[in-house]
Amino acid sequence: MDVNAAVAAAAAIAGVLTGVIAMLAFRWSERDQNRPTRTSLHTDPVLPPGVDTVLSVLRSSAVVLDETDAVVKASSAAYALGLVRGGKLAVEPMLQMARDTRRDGEIRQVELDLPRRGTGRGEALAVSARVAPLGSRLVLLLVEDLTEARRIEAVRRDFVANVSHELKTPVGALSLLSEAVMDASDDPEAVQRFAGRMQIEATRLTSLVQELIDLSRVQNDDPLEDAEPVRVEELVAEAVDRCRHQAGTKQITMAAGGTADLHVWGNRGQLAAALGNLVENAVNYSPARTRVGIAARRVTMPGGDLIEIAVTDQGIGISDKDKERIFERFYRVDPARSRATGGTGLGLAIVKHVAASHGGEVTVWSAEGQGSTFTLRLPEAGVARDRSHQQPGLDAHGDEDEDGPAAGTPHASPPAPHDSTAYQTLSAPEVLP
């Protein structure tokens, strides 16, 4: 009896122990299932609160990497720049920076030149990359595109260098001529000759400074703030009057026509300066006893009517390689001839910016030895006025690519300068003395 009781007690104790062990094992298993594992951390990473919102409003390209270098989060700009491909960071130097930062927690920054995605022209993309730790497991990479800033800086450096060179020439000439006048004080003929040269150099210096002011004004001012309907006939008359003396000296005939009842919308002063520059160039680069024609017509386009003003000369013409650069600041087709005529190399740059800021363009047709035709295309007064009311924030700077070859590339080739059917002016020209 005692033996049976002992066995029963032992069995009861064993059952209780088994139940307790089973319950503890179940609890332990349930807790293990709820505990995050290394695999779950890798497959389902979580950004710290608020980081996703901040990254979405940053202008920089943003990439977040986990401990295995996999991309947890990437902005659309990062994909556009080609930084992320196939869920991985595709730029090895940036990837190495991220690994080093993950190892020691130090913030790193570097500037890199990357190949531009999708082009075979070898163009480099300048970027600034900054890597910082984000929590204990993640790394944040911010990439800023510096390409446009570097281009603008290069344009600024070239502009300063060109201005310095152009100013140095007349200033140096004036200094030498003043010394020559002092040395020849007892020779009235020499003094008169040197004084004449000084006057020429002073005039050139004045023209250069004035054109620099004009260029700065057309780049910084919004011409549509003081816009008004401007008669094309008045613009042509003002341009012709500006060049009347030079044309008379070279016995160049100026003919204009087709300008009646045509109006453009814009800043009268800027438009007169642009057309005056075109006519002045035509006269300066034309041989004696030739003809300069100024033609105008209305052209119907899908977006509204355009007014075309074409200036045609019978001068030396422009080569194909020069046509790609003539709208650059300080670029001259014939530097020696430009110095003889007092040219600064800024006239066509001013024309380009005026045309762009008024919603138009300037194009060129030319053949060496046959002459050139510069065509200024501007929206007609009514169309341009409606556009200005619809788009009050029109960019006054015009083309962002300041001095690129595209500035002088025509959208449609203008007619040859001797095409008698192209413009009204050539059928019944008004010959201006």
Side-chain angles (χ1 to χ4, degrees):
M1 185 70 178
D2 292 337
V3 174
N4 292 334
V7 171
I13 293 173
V16 170
L17 290 176
T18 301
V20 169
I21 292 174
M23 183 180 64
L24 291 175
F26 175 77
R27 296 279 184 165
W28 185 269
S29 175
E30 186 179 41
R31 190 172 66 175
D32 282 348
Q33 289 178 359
N34 293 331
R35 180 185 301 169
T37 63
R38 295 182 64 89
T39 303
S40 65
L41 286 173
H42 172 65
T43 58
D44 189 21
V46 179
L47 291 176
V51 172
D52 194 18
T53 303
V54 172
L55 295 183
S56 65
V57 299
L58 286 178
R59 296 182 60 184
S60 305
S61 302
V63 181
V64 178
L65 304 176
D66 65 9
E67 69 271 17
T68 65
D69 294 332
V71 175
V72 176
K73 176 73 176 180
S75 64
S76 58
Y79 286 99
L81 288 179
L83 303 179
V84 178
R85 299 175 189 172
K88 294 289 185 179
L89 186 62
V91 183
E92 184 60 34
M94 295 182 187
L95 188 59
Q96 186 58 48
M97 287 174 57
R99 292 168 178 168
D100 294 340
T101 296
R102 186 184 301 110
R103 184 180 64 253
D104 55 24
E106 294 290 331
I107 298 176
R108 290 174 168 81
Q109 184 167 351
V110 68
E111 292 188 2
L112 301 170
D113 290 331
L114 307 178
R116 191 182 294 272
R117 187 177 182 183
T119 63
R121 296 174 292 179
E123 297 178 355
L125 195 68
V127 299
S128 174
R130 185 176 179 87
V131 181
L134 187 64
S136 59
R137 299 182 298 106
L138 305 179
V139 174
L140 173 63
L141 171 67
L142 296 177
V143 180
E144 190 77 23
D145 188 356
L146 303 178
T147 308
E148 183 65 13
R150 285 192 179 180
R151 188 191 69 80
I152 294 175
E153 178 63 20
V155 170
R156 187 194 65 81
R157 287 197 306 268
D158 292 343
F159 180 74
V160 172
N162 286 328
V163 168
S164 301
H165 174 74
E166 295 296 332
L167 289 174
K168 189 185 301 181
T169 301
V171 169
L174 287 172
S175 177
L176 292 174
L177 288 169
S178 64
E179 293 179 4
V181 168
M182 294 177 62
D183 294 339
S185 58
D186 56 349
D187 186 351
E189 292 184 2
V191 170
Q192 186 175 6
R193 183 172 67 254
F194 292 141
R197 289 295 307 167
M198 291 177 68
Q199 188 174 14
I200 293 174
E201 295 300 332
T203 301
R204 178 179 299 173
L205 182 59
T206 302
S207 298
L208 175 59
V209 172
Q210 184 59 50
E211 290 203 341
L212 285 172
I213 294 173
D214 292 341
L215 181 61
S216 175
R217 183 179 296 116
V218 301
Q219 286 181 318
N220 296 324
D221 294 347
D222 184 355
L224 300 183
E225 288 183 357
D226 301 319
E228 59 179 338
V230 181
R231 294 179 60 192
V232 174
E233 191 172 13
E234 293 178 358
L235 294 177
V236 172
E238 188 172 337
V240 169
D241 188 64
R242 168 178 166 178
C243 305
R244 193 180 302 278
H245 176 70
Q246 298 98 307
T249 302
K250 300 173 66 174
Q251 299 181 8
I252 292 177
T253 301
M254 289 190 289
T259 59
D261 300 326
L262 297 180
H263 296 77
V264 293
W265 179 262
N267 184 293
R268 178 186 175 84
Q270 291 189 15
L271 293 173
L275 184 58
N277 286 344
L278 292 180
V279 176
E280 187 174 23
N281 275 359
V283 171
N284 288 338
Y285 285 90
S286 293
R289 294 179 294 277
T290 56
R291 170 186 168 118
V292 170
I294 308 170
R297 67 172 178 175
R298 179 185 291 106
V299 180
T300 301
M301 302 292 290
D305 290 349
L306 295 178
I307 301 299
E308 287 190 350
I309 308 173
V311 179
T312 301
D313 64 61
Q314 297 172 325
I316 60 176
I318 306 170
S319 66
D320 290 338
K321 65 180 183 66
D322 288 324
K323 278 191 289 188
E324 296 181 353
R325 301 190 59 191
I326 55 175
F327 292 95
E328 295 180 17
R329 301 182 186 118
F330 299 107
Y331 185 80
R332 299 182 178 95
V333 175
D334 187 348
R337 189 183 184 95
S338 294
R339 295 190 188 97
T341 59
T344 62
L346 290 174
L348 291 179
I350 292 174
V351 175
K352 184 194 77 170
H353 282 287
V354 170
S357 64
H358 283 75
E361 64 174 354
V362 58
T363 61
V364 59
W365 176 96
S366 186
E368 291 186 89
Q370 298 183 31
S372 305
T373 295
F374 284 85
T375 303
L376 184 62
R377 293 188 179 97
L378 298 167
E380 194 173 16
V383 177
R385 181 173 61 250
D386 294 341
R387 287 179 180 174
S388 67
H389 291 163
Q390 293 173 3
Q391 301 176 359
L394 184 64
D395 183 13
H397 296 275
D399 189 1
E400 275 304 311
D401 187 9
E402 296 225 348
D403 292 319
T409 303
H411 289 259
S413 300
H418 304 295
D419 183 354
S420 60
T421 63
Y423 293 95
Q424 301 174 33
T425 182
L426 300 182
S427 59
E430 175 192 355
V431 179
L432 304 172

